[in-house]
Amino acid sequence: QLQGPSTQLLDGVHVTITAGPTREPIDPVRYISNHSSGKMGFALAHAAAQQGANVTLIAGPVDLATPPGVQRIDVESAQDMLDTALAQAADIFIGCAAVADYRVADVADHKMKKTANTGAPTLKLIENPDILKTIAAQTKPPMCVGFAAETRDVEAYALDKLKRKKLALIVANDVSNTAIGFNSDDNAVVVLSEDDRVVFEQQSKQMLAQQLIHHIATHYHKHFR
Ligand code: CTP
Ligand code: CA
């Protein structure tokens, strides 16, 4: 719906959002990644811009158009995404990206070849930095919002992440239901804070994003300004 400037919830607020998967190289032509479409993060960026926010969208490799009025920065690996996130000033930071938890320890400089002598290679993985946790641990952190995609004990795991990463809000997403979440157009979530729990029923990611931005903005004005 159309909204006049007087009803904009995030006027002058800088919102930084991570979205999509990350891509972790194995060699110059191969990588490890996941099926995140980036739709939820892009929808959030669009909705935040519609509310007057100054939006930076840090996007992993996705096939999506940049929402109007949004500054988009494309990245590949988790380390790129972290470096870019640390270079942004933000009042609200929303970690929506499906960051690869691990990367290959020793990326090959040249395309790996099949060799009869050594057989199938074993990839040694090392843990990636936690982007959201790093941002939330800064001396003057923005209000941090995380996503938790889980297949069981959804809210318990989400609450654990809220506390462990020192987040203001966590969006808990039950991805055991394949009609919602990851690659689909719809989603249904529960948003948790230290002291409240709000259910958002199944709907399009665009509609949901508008409601989530409303909820996030309300929390921001109540607790962070
Ligand atoms: N996240 C991040 N950097 C990482 C891993 C996760 O910023 N290296 C963010 C995600 O963008 C998301 C939140 O942390 O907002 C939770 O991600 P999730 O993968 O559910 O949590 P993990 O801490 O990685 O735990 P696990 O995968 O074991 O459930
Ligand atoms: Ca993870």
Side-chain angles (χ1 to χ4, degrees):
Q1 82 256 26
L2 289 172
Q3 284 175 317
S6 59
T7 60
Q8 291 194 303
L9 294 167
L10 291 171
D11 241 329
V13 179
H14 192 154
V15 179
T16 296
I17 302 173
T18 65
T22 66
R23 200 176 262 187
E24 309 299 329
I26 297 170
D27 71 11
V29 298
R30 302 183 176 96
Y31 57 82
I32 295 172
S33 192
N34 61 64
H35 285 297
S36 168
S37 66
K39 284 174 192 162
M40 195 66 238
F42 274 59
L44 285 168
H46 192 184
Q50 283 179 322
Q51 290 298 339
N54 176 0
V55 183
T56 303
L57 177 59
I58 306 175
V62 294
D63 187 20
L64 295 172
T66 308
V70 168
Q71 190 214 352
R72 170 177 178 175
I73 305 174
D74 286 318
V75 298
E76 297 243 326
S77 68
Q79 187 63 54
D80 291 345
M81 193 175 266
L82 175 62
D83 294 342
T84 307
L86 284 170
Q88 302 300 315
D91 302 305
I92 300 175
F93 187 91
I94 306 175
C96 197
V99 182
D101 289 332
Y102 303 99
R103 68 174 180 276
V104 175
D106 302 299
V107 179
D109 291 334
H110 292 281
K111 185 186 169 202
M112 290 164 71
K113 301 297 287 176
K114 283 187 289 185
T115 53
N117 341 349
T118 53
T122 301
L123 292 177
K124 185 178 179 233
L125 302 180
I126 53 173
E127 197 170 344
N128 267 328
D130 190 312
I131 298 165
L132 202 45
K133 199 174 171 185
T134 306
I135 295 293
Q138 289 174 308
T139 27
K140 274 188 68 189
M143 177 180 131
C144 289
V145 181
F147 274 71
E150 311 285 354
T151 57
R152 57 173 175 164
D153 301 328
V154 179
E155 291 186 35
Y157 279 129
L159 263 183
D160 180 59
K161 283 171 189 168
L162 177 88
K163 291 182 184 131
R164 202 154 36 81
K165 301 184 194 232
K166 298 204 184 329
L167 309 176
L169 298 172
I170 190 132
V171 182
N173 202 173
D174 184 346
V175 291
S176 64
N177 178 349
T178 50
I180 58 173
F182 257 55
N183 230 328
S184 79
D185 289 323
D186 274 19
N187 206 354
V189 299
V190 176
V191 181
L192 305 169
S193 70
E194 285 279 358
D195 46 36
D196 75 344
R197 176 183 182 277
V198 182
V199 177
F200 294 86
E201 301 294 348
Q202 181 176 340
Q203 56 194 306
S204 72
K205 286 181 177 175
Q206 280 72 26
M207 294 291 291
L208 180 64
Q210 290 183 17
Q211 293 189 14
L212 289 177
I213 287 298
H214 191 282
H215 186 71
I216 291 166
T218 305
H219 191 93
Y220 176 72
H221 289 297
K222 202 165 156 194
H223 301 283
F224 286 77
R225 264 242 274 248

